Amino acid sequence: MGQTIAEKILSHHAGKTVRAGDIVIVRVDGVMATDATAPLAIQAFRAMGGVRLWDPTRVFLVIDHAAPAPNETVANLHRLMRDFACKMGCRLYDIGEGICHQLMIENEHVRPGDLFLGADSHSPTYGAVNAFGVGVGSTDLAAAMRTGKTWLKVPKTIQITLHGTLRPGVTAKDVILRLLRELGADGANYQAIEFNGEAVRAMSLAGRITLANMTAEMGAKTGLVDPTGLSLDYPFTPVYPDPDAEYSRRLALDVSTLEPQVARPHAPDNVVPIARVRGTPIHYAFIGSCTNTRLEDLAAAAAVLRGRPVAPGVRLVIAPASRRVFEAALQQGIVQTLSASGAVFIPAGCGPCVGSHLGVPGDGEVVISSTNRNFRGRMGNPRAEIYLASPAVVAASALAGHIADPAEVG
Amino acid sequence: MNSEPICGIAHVYGDNIDTDRIIPGKYTKTLDMATLAAHVLEDLDPDFARTVRPGDLLVAGYNFGCGSSREQAPLAIKAAGVAAVIARSFARIFYRNAINIGLPVIEVEDHAIRPGDRVAVDLAAGLVVNHTRNETYRATAMPQQMVDILAAGGLVNYLLRYGDYV
Ligand code: SF4
């Protein structure tokens, strides 16, 4: 019987053929922790007797969640990370360099066929580059920092086939939101997802990242995208599923008729077609996060705004996914266009996505955001309401002052 | 695993309780357990942190702990004195984190625990006994790897004891 992508990658890392349901000890190719998780990981690493990293070239620390530090407590946690990285000789990405997942992919730390552990729940993102990315907590990460290994239960896989061609203005974000409505917040708990089909093959790396990223919102262990059509700057050996691989569930969606989708407060799977929420007044529009602030996302927002001012009483905040994205957007005049519309650029990083700093909404305010989670209190205020959508919808809404389809703002 | 059953009073909540409601992100940037304990479940039940007593049990519905990978979530629950968490199902990362830090978690899909019930959790036997209602519920079995880690008192102690995954 054939294997899924997940079974293949895990077999390779276990050194034997494994099947869904097996519990395996596997070697990892790399590990990553952020300022939200590294301090606890460092503490646990030391508590478990760690004095050297298993391989300093495969351990990455990123200061992105609250960066630059908003207060002295966080500043001291950042200091702890810098000090640890210096002693241990591992790479630390400091403030303003970008969001952890973007940096791991952009700097080629994670590659096709890899098993990569992130102390962050959006680590399934690495499935965009055909790698098994899995989110763990700080103590699991500490154990991997020390041993180069972890244990995993080999997941079953849900196969999702995307047929058809996306209409202009409809993006991978709309696809994954639509799928979230279908599968729900625990629809893929303990399972892997594999995406394939012609709509996937046509997707850019950025689109694939958006798709894989939000499998976390379905509880998926990892979100693997079929590597057909994947284009990277380096040669790689893709990992394909076998034609006779076994899936726990098969789902198909024709994306040709899909319209923009919006997740309503306070759950990412509370998704409706935009027509159902069109006209909802907003106060605050945010374009950011590991889900959606790569170059093509910023370009899409700029194409909607075209320098026209955002609606009175609306503020638009943008946190680029990385410095490299920011510089490319500068070079292409995208930053200038967005700035002319009144967009406020904050450092590349998580920004207000997780509510630690740089743009917390006020009581009763309505936010439209290109991020991945709208749990109550997610952006730092439990009395705010967060809607999730694509960057184009966020830009159109900022322009209109209410939730709007890019098609209607011309 | 050869630990005594845990017995306590149940605090009962619903489905899909995410990690932001267990401990809002704005409080997680700390290594201070008292801060975490003070804000545990704040946006779900502002009274919880004040009313929870050491040894109490947290009971929830499906997909408890979904969302972020923050280990501060189980740490906050543990720091608040909760002795064990019972849920109909757990989100994957939360479940692992809880075991890794030595917070007992037990998955019982079918139960009728109400707030205030006196409940005993027998991890070794995989049983939950509701003394108030005179009912016994069977738990979903835990993977052996997790049983070993929990038996060691968490992953730190496990690695201190064995030096590597065994
Ligand atoms: S951008 Fe948001 S979702 Fe992504 S890693 Fe940062 S805090 Fe998490």
Side-chain angles (χ1 to χ4, degrees), chain A residues 256-293:
Chain A
S256 306
T257 54
L258 192 70
E259 50 172 329
Q261 306 283 309
V262 177
R264 297 176 295 185
H266 295 282
D269 60 344
N270 190 10
V271 173
V272 292
I274 191 162
R276 296 266 305 275
V277 287
R278 184 180 280 149
T280 307
I282 60 147
H283 304 90
Y284 175 8
F286 175 55
I287 299 177
S289 87
C290 50
T291 313
N292 269 133
T293 18

mmCIF file of all heavy atoms in Angstrom, chain A residues 256-293:
data_model
loop_
_atom_site.group_PDB
_atom_site.id
_atom_site.type_symbol
_atom_site.label_atom_id
_atom_site.label_comp_id
_atom_site.label_asym_id
_atom_site.label_seq_id
_atom_site.Cartn_x
_atom_site.Cartn_y
_atom_site.Cartn_z
ATOM 1 N N SER A 256 -13.754 27.818 -8.780
ATOM 2 C CA SER A 256 -14.054 28.747 -9.878
ATOM 3 C C SER A 256 -15.150 29.751 -9.537
ATOM 4 O O SER A 256 -15.140 30.875 -10.023
ATOM 5 C CB SER A 256 -14.484 27.977 -11.127
ATOM 6 O OG SER A 256 -13.509 27.020 -11.437
ATOM 7 N N THR A 257 -16.100 29.330 -8.705
ATOM 8 C CA THR A 257 -17.222 30.222 -8.397
ATOM 9 C C THR A 257 -17.084 30.867 -7.029
ATOM 10 O O THR A 257 -17.987 31.562 -6.563
ATOM 11 C CB THR A 257 -18.549 29.431 -8.426
ATOM 12 O OG1 THR A 257 -18.402 28.313 -7.541
ATOM 13 C CG2 THR A 257 -18.876 28.933 -9.819
ATOM 14 N N LEU A 258 -15.934 30.607 -6.387
ATOM 15 C CA LEU A 258 -15.747 31.118 -5.023
ATOM 16 C C LEU A 258 -15.726 32.649 -5.009
ATOM 17 O O LEU A 258 -15.121 33.282 -5.863
ATOM 18 C CB LEU A 258 -14.426 30.585 -4.473
ATOM 19 C CG LEU A 258 -14.182 30.766 -2.975
ATOM 20 C CD1 LEU A 258 -15.105 29.869 -2.164
ATOM 21 C CD2 LEU A 258 -12.728 30.439 -2.631
ATOM 22 N N GLU A 259 -16.402 33.244 -4.027
ATOM 23 C CA GLU A 259 -16.281 34.688 -3.832
ATOM 24 C C GLU A 259 -15.489 34.934 -2.554
ATOM 25 O O GLU A 259 -15.257 34.003 -1.778
ATOM 26 C CB GLU A 259 -17.659 35.346 -3.782
ATOM 27 C CG GLU A 259 -18.640 34.688 -2.847
ATOM 28 C CD GLU A 259 -19.929 35.490 -2.694
ATOM 29 O OE1 GLU A 259 -19.883 36.730 -2.797
ATOM 30 O OE2 GLU A 259 -20.964 34.877 -2.448
ATOM 31 N N PRO A 260 -15.053 36.187 -2.313
ATOM 32 C CA PRO A 260 -14.281 36.444 -1.096
ATOM 33 C C PRO A 260 -15.044 35.980 0.154
ATOM 34 O O PRO A 260 -16.268 36.082 0.207
ATOM 35 C CB PRO A 260 -14.112 37.961 -1.117
ATOM 36 C CG PRO A 260 -14.138 38.319 -2.564
ATOM 37 C CD PRO A 260 -15.126 37.374 -3.177
ATOM 38 N N GLN A 261 -14.293 35.484 1.127
ATOM 39 C CA GLN A 261 -14.873 34.942 2.351
ATOM 40 C C GLN A 261 -14.405 35.768 3.551
ATOM 41 O O GLN A 261 -13.312 36.329 3.536
ATOM 42 C CB GLN A 261 -14.412 33.492 2.547
ATOM 43 C CG GLN A 261 -14.673 32.582 1.363
ATOM 44 C CD GLN A 261 -16.123 32.162 1.264
ATOM 45 O OE1 GLN A 261 -16.720 31.686 2.225
ATOM 46 N NE2 GLN A 261 -16.720 32.370 0.092
ATOM 47 N N VAL A 262 -15.230 35.800 4.578
ATOM 48 C CA VAL A 262 -14.889 36.546 5.793
ATOM 49 C C VAL A 262 -15.223 35.680 7.007
ATOM 50 O O VAL A 262 -16.292 35.062 7.054
ATOM 51 C CB VAL A 262 -15.693 37.872 5.864
ATOM 52 C CG1 VAL A 262 -15.395 38.613 7.167
ATOM 53 C CG2 VAL A 262 -15.362 38.765 4.671
ATOM 54 N N ALA A 263 -14.285 35.648 7.988
ATOM 55 C CA ALA A 263 -14.580 34.970 9.258
ATOM 56 C C ALA A 263 -15.086 36.022 10.231
ATOM 57 O O ALA A 263 -14.442 37.047 10.446
ATOM 58 C CB ALA A 263 -13.332 34.290 9.808
ATOM 59 N N ARG A 264 -16.240 35.763 10.817
ATOM 60 C CA ARG A 264 -16.831 36.718 11.764
ATOM 61 C C ARG A 264 -16.308 36.453 13.172
ATOM 62 O O ARG A 264 -15.813 35.360 13.462
ATOM 63 C CB ARG A 264 -18.360 36.553 11.754
ATOM 64 C CG ARG A 264 -18.980 36.892 10.400
ATOM 65 C CD ARG A 264 -20.473 36.635 10.396
ATOM 66 N NE ARG A 264 -20.742 35.204 10.563
ATOM 67 C CZ ARG A 264 -21.965 34.679 10.504
ATOM 68 N NH1 ARG A 264 -23.015 35.449 10.301
ATOM 69 N NH2 ARG A 264 -22.143 33.378 10.664
ATOM 70 N N PRO A 265 -16.452 37.433 14.065
ATOM 71 C CA PRO A 265 -16.032 37.198 15.456
ATOM 72 C C PRO A 265 -16.822 36.017 16.037
ATOM 73 O O PRO A 265 -17.987 35.864 15.662
ATOM 74 C CB PRO A 265 -16.441 38.489 16.175
ATOM 75 C CG PRO A 265 -16.727 39.493 15.083
ATOM 76 C CD PRO A 265 -17.073 38.747 13.867
ATOM 77 N N HIS A 266 -16.268 35.300 16.932
ATOM 78 C CA HIS A 266 -14.951 35.285 17.520
ATOM 79 C C HIS A 266 -14.290 33.931 17.252
ATOM 80 O O HIS A 266 -13.669 33.349 18.138
ATOM 81 C CB HIS A 266 -15.034 35.503 19.037
ATOM 82 C CG HIS A 266 -15.551 36.840 19.443
ATOM 83 N ND1 HIS A 266 -14.772 37.997 19.415
ATOM 84 C CD2 HIS A 266 -16.755 37.249 19.841
ATOM 85 C CE1 HIS A 266 -15.485 39.030 19.822
ATOM 86 N NE2 HIS A 266 -16.700 38.607 20.089
ATOM 87 N N ALA A 267 -14.432 33.425 16.036
ATOM 88 C CA ALA A 267 -13.805 32.137 15.720
ATOM 89 C C ALA A 267 -13.419 32.115 14.247
ATOM 90 O O ALA A 267 -14.197 32.531 13.391
ATOM 91 C CB ALA A 267 -14.749 30.991 16.028
ATOM 92 N N PRO A 268 -12.225 31.608 13.945
ATOM 93 C CA PRO A 268 -11.757 31.586 12.550
ATOM 94 C C PRO A 268 -12.617 30.710 11.641
ATOM 95 O O PRO A 268 -12.590 30.883 10.432
ATOM 96 C CB PRO A 268 -10.344 31.014 12.646
ATOM 97 C CG PRO A 268 -9.952 31.102 14.068
ATOM 98 C CD PRO A 268 -11.203 31.104 14.879
ATOM 99 N N ASP A 269 -13.393 29.788 12.220
ATOM 100 C CA ASP A 269 -14.227 28.939 11.365
ATOM 101 C C ASP A 269 -15.654 29.478 11.222
ATOM 102 O O ASP A 269 -16.503 28.857 10.611
ATOM 103 C CB ASP A 269 -14.242 27.492 11.879
ATOM 104 C CG ASP A 269 -14.799 27.368 13.287
ATOM 105 O OD1 ASP A 269 -14.900 28.394 13.992
ATOM 106 O OD2 ASP A 269 -15.126 26.236 13.689
ATOM 107 N N ASN A 270 -15.896 30.663 11.774
ATOM 108 C CA ASN A 270 -17.215 31.295 11.684
ATOM 109 C C ASN A 270 -17.290 32.079 10.363
ATOM 110 O O ASN A 270 -17.389 33.304 10.342
ATOM 111 C CB ASN A 270 -17.385 32.213 12.898
ATOM 112 C CG ASN A 270 -18.800 32.746 13.039
ATOM 113 O OD1 ASN A 270 -19.712 32.286 12.345
ATOM 114 N ND2 ASN A 270 -18.969 33.714 13.911
ATOM 115 N N VAL A 271 -17.186 31.348 9.267
ATOM 116 C CA VAL A 271 -16.938 31.950 7.956
ATOM 117 C C VAL A 271 -18.216 32.077 7.128
ATOM 118 O O VAL A 271 -19.043 31.168 7.108
ATOM 119 C CB VAL A 271 -15.902 31.097 7.183
ATOM 120 C CG1 VAL A 271 -15.729 31.586 5.752
ATOM 121 C CG2 VAL A 271 -14.560 31.113 7.910
ATOM 122 N N VAL A 272 -18.347 33.218 6.462
ATOM 123 C CA VAL A 272 -19.479 33.434 5.542
ATOM 124 C C VAL A 272 -18.953 34.076 4.257
ATOM 125 O O VAL A 272 -17.892 34.705 4.258
ATOM 126 C CB VAL A 272 -20.547 34.370 6.157
ATOM 127 C CG1 VAL A 272 -21.255 33.705 7.328
ATOM 128 C CG2 VAL A 272 -19.947 35.713 6.560
ATOM 129 N N PRO A 273 -19.704 33.938 3.142
ATOM 130 C CA PRO A 273 -19.340 34.697 1.946
ATOM 131 C C PRO A 273 -19.466 36.186 2.261
ATOM 132 O O PRO A 273 -20.304 36.573 3.083
ATOM 133 C CB PRO A 273 -20.392 34.272 0.917
ATOM 134 C CG PRO A 273 -21.061 33.067 1.480
ATOM 135 C CD PRO A 273 -20.904 33.113 2.956
ATOM 136 N N ILE A 274 -18.653 36.989 1.604
ATOM 137 C CA ILE A 274 -18.593 38.414 1.955
ATOM 138 C C ILE A 274 -19.954 39.102 1.871
ATOM 139 O O ILE A 274 -20.238 40.038 2.631
ATOM 140 C CB ILE A 274 -17.530 39.141 1.088
ATOM 141 C CG1 ILE A 274 -17.281 40.536 1.654
ATOM 142 C CG2 ILE A 274 -17.946 39.196 -0.378
ATOM 143 C CD1 ILE A 274 -16.006 41.168 1.203
ATOM 144 N N ALA A 275 -20.820 38.627 0.989
ATOM 145 C CA ALA A 275 -22.136 39.264 0.825
ATOM 146 C C ALA A 275 -22.901 39.339 2.149
ATOM 147 O O ALA A 275 -23.664 40.279 2.381
ATOM 148 C CB ALA A 275 -22.946 38.484 -0.219
ATOM 149 N N ARG A 276 -22.656 38.376 3.031
ATOM 150 C CA ARG A 276 -23.402 38.317 4.300
ATOM 151 C C ARG A 276 -22.969 39.388 5.303
ATOM 152 O O ARG A 276 -23.722 39.689 6.254
ATOM 153 C CB ARG A 276 -23.243 36.929 4.932
ATOM 154 C CG ARG A 276 -23.837 35.788 4.140
ATOM 155 C CD ARG A 276 -25.262 35.463 4.585
ATOM 156 N NE ARG A 276 -25.348 35.191 6.023
ATOM 157 C CZ ARG A 276 -25.105 34.003 6.564
ATOM 158 N NH1 ARG A 276 -24.778 32.984 5.802
ATOM 159 N NH2 ARG A 276 -25.194 33.832 7.871
ATOM 160 N N VAL A 277 -21.773 39.932 5.136
ATOM 161 C CA VAL A 277 -21.280 40.914 6.118
ATOM 162 C C VAL A 277 -20.921 42.252 5.458
ATOM 163 O O VAL A 277 -20.484 43.187 6.133
ATOM 164 C CB VAL A 277 -20.035 40.400 6.888
ATOM 165 C CG1 VAL A 277 -20.425 39.335 7.878
ATOM 166 C CG2 VAL A 277 -18.984 39.882 5.930
ATOM 167 N N ARG A 278 -21.116 42.316 4.175
ATOM 168 C CA ARG A 278 -20.813 43.541 3.436
ATOM 169 C C ARG A 278 -21.554 44.713 4.097
ATOM 170 O O ARG A 278 -22.707 44.596 4.481
ATOM 171 C CB ARG A 278 -21.299 43.361 1.999
ATOM 172 C CG ARG A 278 -20.979 44.480 1.071
ATOM 173 C CD ARG A 278 -21.521 44.187 -0.314
ATOM 174 N NE ARG A 278 -20.650 43.287 -1.046
ATOM 175 C CZ ARG A 278 -21.070 42.406 -1.956
ATOM 176 N NH1 ARG A 278 -22.348 42.288 -2.235
ATOM 177 N NH2 ARG A 278 -20.208 41.646 -2.583
ATOM 178 N N GLY A 279 -20.840 45.849 4.256
ATOM 179 C CA GLY A 279 -21.493 47.023 4.847
ATOM 180 C C GLY A 279 -21.290 47.166 6.342
ATOM 181 O O GLY A 279 -21.606 48.210 6.906
ATOM 182 N N THR A 280 -20.714 46.143 6.998
ATOM 183 C CA THR A 280 -20.439 46.261 8.438
ATOM 184 C C THR A 280 -19.396 47.359 8.660
ATOM 185 O O THR A 280 -18.283 47.279 8.132
ATOM 186 C CB THR A 280 -19.873 44.922 8.989
ATOM 187 O OG1 THR A 280 -20.767 43.879 8.615
ATOM 188 C CG2 THR A 280 -19.691 44.967 10.487
ATOM 189 N N PRO A 281 -19.729 48.408 9.413
ATOM 190 C CA PRO A 281 -18.762 49.501 9.601
ATOM 191 C C PRO A 281 -17.513 49.027 10.354
ATOM 192 O O PRO A 281 -17.622 48.204 11.265
ATOM 193 C CB PRO A 281 -19.525 50.522 10.450
ATOM 194 C CG PRO A 281 -20.961 50.130 10.356
ATOM 195 C CD PRO A 281 -20.991 48.658 10.129
ATOM 196 N N ILE A 282 -16.362 49.520 9.949
ATOM 197 C CA ILE A 282 -15.104 49.149 10.617
ATOM 198 C C ILE A 282 -14.357 50.386 11.103
ATOM 199 O O ILE A 282 -14.582 51.501 10.610
ATOM 200 C CB ILE A 282 -14.170 48.352 9.670
ATOM 201 C CG1 ILE A 282 -13.822 49.189 8.423
ATOM 202 C CG2 ILE A 282 -14.801 47.038 9.255
ATOM 203 C CD1 ILE A 282 -12.445 48.904 7.907
ATOM 204 N N HIS A 283 -13.505 50.167 12.091
ATOM 205 C CA HIS A 283 -12.667 51.251 12.628
ATOM 206 C C HIS A 283 -11.203 51.073 12.269
ATOM 207 O O HIS A 283 -10.432 52.021 12.255
ATOM 208 C CB HIS A 283 -12.766 51.287 14.157
ATOM 209 C CG HIS A 283 -14.163 51.416 14.656
ATOM 210 N ND1 HIS A 283 -14.965 50.340 14.935
ATOM 211 C CD2 HIS A 283 -14.920 52.507 14.897
ATOM 212 C CE1 HIS A 283 -16.150 50.746 15.349
ATOM 213 N NE2 HIS A 283 -16.150 52.057 15.327
ATOM 214 N N TYR A 284 -10.830 49.827 12.066
ATOM 215 C CA TYR A 284 -9.412 49.512 12.059
ATOM 216 C C TYR A 284 -9.183 48.377 11.056
ATOM 217 O O TYR A 284 -9.882 47.362 11.098
ATOM 218 C CB TYR A 284 -9.053 49.111 13.491
ATOM 219 C CG TYR A 284 -7.659 48.622 13.802
ATOM 220 C CD1 TYR A 284 -6.620 48.667 12.890
ATOM 221 C CD2 TYR A 284 -7.378 48.115 15.065
ATOM 222 C CE1 TYR A 284 -5.361 48.210 13.226
ATOM 223 C CE2 TYR A 284 -6.119 47.655 15.424
ATOM 224 C CZ TYR A 284 -5.119 47.698 14.483
ATOM 225 O OH TYR A 284 -3.871 47.242 14.826
ATOM 226 N N ALA A 285 -8.234 48.580 10.149
ATOM 227 C CA ALA A 285 -7.900 47.551 9.171
ATOM 228 C C ALA A 285 -6.432 47.184 9.371
ATOM 229 O O ALA A 285 -5.573 48.071 9.451
ATOM 230 C CB ALA A 285 -8.129 48.075 7.761
ATOM 231 N N PHE A 286 -6.164 45.894 9.465
ATOM 232 C CA PHE A 286 -4.777 45.459 9.667
ATOM 233 C C PHE A 286 -4.367 44.465 8.591
ATOM 234 O O PHE A 286 -5.053 43.476 8.349
ATOM 235 C CB PHE A 286 -4.615 44.831 11.057
ATOM 236 C CG PHE A 286 -3.230 44.259 11.295
ATOM 237 C CD1 PHE A 286 -2.098 45.057 11.131
ATOM 238 C CD2 PHE A 286 -3.053 42.934 11.680
ATOM 239 C CE1 PHE A 286 -0.811 44.534 11.326
ATOM 240 C CE2 PHE A 286 -1.780 42.405 11.890
ATOM 241 C CZ PHE A 286 -0.661 43.212 11.712
ATOM 242 N N ILE A 287 -3.254 44.764 7.936
ATOM 243 C CA ILE A 287 -2.671 43.815 6.991
ATOM 244 C C ILE A 287 -1.359 43.334 7.597
ATOM 245 O O ILE A 287 -0.436 44.134 7.800
ATOM 246 C CB ILE A 287 -2.439 44.452 5.608
ATOM 247 C CG1 ILE A 287 -3.775 44.926 5.024
ATOM 248 C CG2 ILE A 287 -1.761 43.449 4.660
ATOM 249 C CD1 ILE A 287 -3.654 45.638 3.685
ATOM 250 N N GLY A 288 -1.321 42.065 7.931
ATOM 251 C CA GLY A 288 -0.125 41.538 8.574
ATOM 252 C C GLY A 288 -0.241 40.057 8.782
ATOM 253 O O GLY A 288 -1.175 39.420 8.305
ATOM 254 N N SER A 289 0.753 39.519 9.467
ATOM 255 C CA SER A 289 0.838 38.121 9.921
ATOM 256 C C SER A 289 1.511 37.192 8.933
ATOM 257 O O SER A 289 1.613 37.472 7.743
ATOM 258 C CB SER A 289 -0.523 37.534 10.292
ATOM 259 O OG SER A 289 -1.161 36.988 9.165
ATOM 260 N N CYS A 290 1.893 36.042 9.482
ATOM 261 C CA CYS A 290 2.506 34.982 8.689
ATOM 262 C C CYS A 290 1.537 34.459 7.627
ATOM 263 O O CYS A 290 1.960 33.813 6.680
ATOM 264 C CB CYS A 290 2.950 33.847 9.618
ATOM 265 S SG CYS A 290 1.677 33.295 10.760
ATOM 266 N N THR A 291 0.253 34.734 7.782
ATOM 267 C CA THR A 291 -0.721 34.278 6.786
ATOM 268 C C THR A 291 -0.647 35.119 5.519
ATOM 269 O O THR A 291 -0.694 34.603 4.417
ATOM 270 C CB THR A 291 -2.152 34.368 7.355
ATOM 271 O OG1 THR A 291 -2.167 33.795 8.654
ATOM 272 C CG2 THR A 291 -3.155 33.654 6.480
ATOM 273 N N ASN A 292 -0.549 36.417 5.654
ATOM 274 C CA ASN A 292 -0.821 37.316 4.532
ATOM 275 C C ASN A 292 -0.140 38.673 4.551
ATOM 276 O O ASN A 292 -0.823 39.694 4.571
ATOM 277 C CB ASN A 292 -2.340 37.603 4.480
ATOM 278 C CG ASN A 292 -3.112 36.640 3.615
ATOM 279 O OD1 ASN A 292 -4.137 36.151 4.041
ATOM 280 N ND2 ASN A 292 -2.651 36.361 2.415
ATOM 281 N N THR A 293 1.187 38.768 4.558
ATOM 282 C CA THR A 293 1.793 40.066 4.228
ATOM 283 C C THR A 293 3.051 39.895 3.430
ATOM 284 O O THR A 293 4.047 40.558 3.633
ATOM 285 C CB THR A 293 2.230 40.934 5.420
ATOM 286 O OG1 THR A 293 2.326 40.141 6.552
ATOM 287 C CG2 THR A 293 1.412 42.158 5.579
#
